[in-house]
Amino acid sequence: MSDKERVNYSDVTDFIHDSEVTDFILVGIRVRPELHSVIFLLFLFIYGMVLLGNLSMIGIIVTDPRLNTPMYFFLGNLSVIDLSYSTVIVPKAMINILSQKKTISFVGCVAQLFLYALFMVTEAFVLAAMAYDRFTAICNPLLYSIRMSRSVCVQLVAGSYLCGWVSSILQISVTFSMTFCASRVIDHFYCDSNPIEKISCSNTFINKMVSLSLAVLIILPTIIVIVVSYMYIVSTVLKIQSSEGRKKAFSTCSSHLGIVSLLYGTVSFVYLTPPNNPELRKIASVCYILLTPMLNPLIYSLRNKDVKEAVKKVLCKKDVLF
């Protein structure tokens, strides 16, 4: 670490003595001060792409009657979720990049962790619901309209949010019931449970057990639903005689599989990164919080014929207007 970096980090820790006891300090990504503007512009550009991509996807799904199907209902909700958890973290992180006093209030920290956990868990269950939707469409097409009616889709999304809400309440309850030491420096660019545990004076065993239990209860069911659904899908598709039919069936699943792989790949990268390498963990978090929400709309728009036609329709309307 250079002298400039030590001075910068020292400034952050010294500021604690002048802060209210209700404040935390978010260290952020440790780089040379002259690179702060570069990181800010990078965050700004990617976050702008997140806004543009997901708002466009939501607008297209809402306005195009051809996309009024269960698959696009789930995709629209996925875009809302991606947009939401990026917005919970990125604007505050960008402000802190250019700020000397990199503070976040205690209430703000609780709210950030709650909303981040809520949307992250909800996304996992929505992706599982999307896998079940594809399974029903391909393996039981005659029952599709009954099993995936509008009310069923709404219930699946509502249940996903309920699971996210319950797990978030449990997570923040155990995290912020801990006693914190003199240092309130969180070595991250947002409030996450792991770096918060490190500044606690309490025994974190219960916290770790709750986090592990929640991870198992969230990841196992969603992964099982996705894997079993695609096992049946592959088995059914391979029985289709025509190569064109098989290609069409697989094409409806490829976008979803791409998003699932991207989500679980980046999340695994975040939480399997060694705890003694916090900077690598921060970079992994950037991939999940910024890159995944930016790429999800691109994956569906580039791989999905209906979305591409809807986009062309919107662009043609604009050409007529001008």
Side-chain angles (χ1 to χ4, degrees), residues 67-75 133 144 148-150 153:
L67 303 184
N68 188 21
T69 64
M71 183 173 75
Y72 295 107
F73 174 75
F74 291 125
L75 180 58
D133 170 70
Y144 183 70
M148 298 306 296
S149 64
R150 187 71 174 184
C153 293

Side-chain angles (χ1 to χ4, degrees), residues 190-220:
Y190 67 95
C191 290
D192 195 12
S193 56
N194 286 328
I196 292 174
E197 283 179 14
K198 293 180 181 179
I199 61 173
S200 171
C201 300
S202 306
N203 188 332
T204 60
F205 176 77
I206 294 177
N207 190 288
K208 291 181 185 297
M209 287 299 100
V210 170
S211 297
L212 180 61
S213 300
L214 287 173
V216 171
L217 290 172
I218 293 161
I219 294 172
L220 273 183

Side-chain angles (χ1 to χ4, degrees), residues 16 21 23-24 178-185 196-202:
I16 286 178
V21 292
D23 286 344
F24 288 106
M178 297 185 296
T179 303
F180 296 101
C181 305
S183 173
R184 287 184 175 250
V185 177
I196 292 174
E197 283 179 14
K198 293 180 181 179
I199 61 173
S200 171
C201 300
S202 306

Side-chain angles (χ1 to χ4, degrees), residues 98-296:
L98 300 180
S99 174
Q100 286 290 331
K101 299 179 179 180
K102 305 177 185 297
T103 58
I104 185 169
S105 68
F106 182 86
V107 174
C109 193
V110 173
Q112 192 177 68
L113 178 58
F114 172 79
L115 292 171
Y116 167 69
L118 166 65
F119 291 120
M120 184 171 70
V121 173
T122 302
E123 181 165 31
F125 281 99
V126 168
L127 286 173
M130 292 174 76
Y132 175 72
D133 170 70
R134 292 298 84 208
F135 157 75
T136 307
I138 293 172
C139 300
N140 298 287
L142 298 178
L143 298 175
Y144 183 70
S145 60
I146 299 171
R147 290 187 178 179
M148 298 306 296
S149 64
R150 187 71 174 184
S151 61
V152 170
C153 293
V154 170
Q155 288 170 19
L156 286 170
V157 171
S160 299
Y161 275 99
L162 178 62
C163 291
W165 185 83
V166 171
S167 64
S168 298
I169 289 290
L170 290 172
Q171 185 67 68
I172 65 168
S173 297
V174 296
T175 300
F176 292 100
S177 64
M178 297 185 296
T179 303
F180 296 101
C181 305
S183 173
R184 287 184 175 250
V185 177
I186 299 174
D187 192 9
H188 215 310
F189 60 88
Y190 67 95
C191 290
D192 195 12
S193 56
N194 286 328
I196 292 174
E197 283 179 14
K198 293 180 181 179
I199 61 173
S200 171
C201 300
S202 306
N203 188 332
T204 60
F205 176 77
I206 294 177
N207 190 288
K208 291 181 185 297
M209 287 299 100
V210 170
S211 297
L212 180 61
S213 300
L214 287 173
V216 171
L217 290 172
I218 293 161
I219 294 172
L220 273 183
T222 54
I223 287 291
I224 287 171
V225 169
I226 291 169
V227 170
V228 171
S229 295
Y230 275 101
M231 286 174 62
Y232 278 101
I233 287 170
V234 170
S235 175
T236 302
V237 170
L238 290 177
K239 293 176 184 177
I240 299 174
Q241 297 298 321
S242 68
S243 59
E244 188 64 30
R246 287 196 298 269
K247 183 179 178 182
K248 184 178 179 181
F250 275 128
S251 68
T252 64
C253 302
S254 59
S255 299
H256 177 256
L257 278 174
I259 288 177
V260 169
S261 302
L262 188 62
L263 173 71
Y264 283 100
T266 52
V267 170
S268 299
F269 185 27
V270 171
Y271 291 101
L272 294 179
T273 301
N276 59 353
N277 196 339
E279 296 309 304
L280 182 60
R281 195 162 196 160
K282 292 172 193 176
I283 294 170
S285 297
V286 171
C287 293
Y288 173 69
I289 293 165
L290 277 172
L291 294 184
T292 300
M294 181 184 74
L295 293 174
N296 282 351

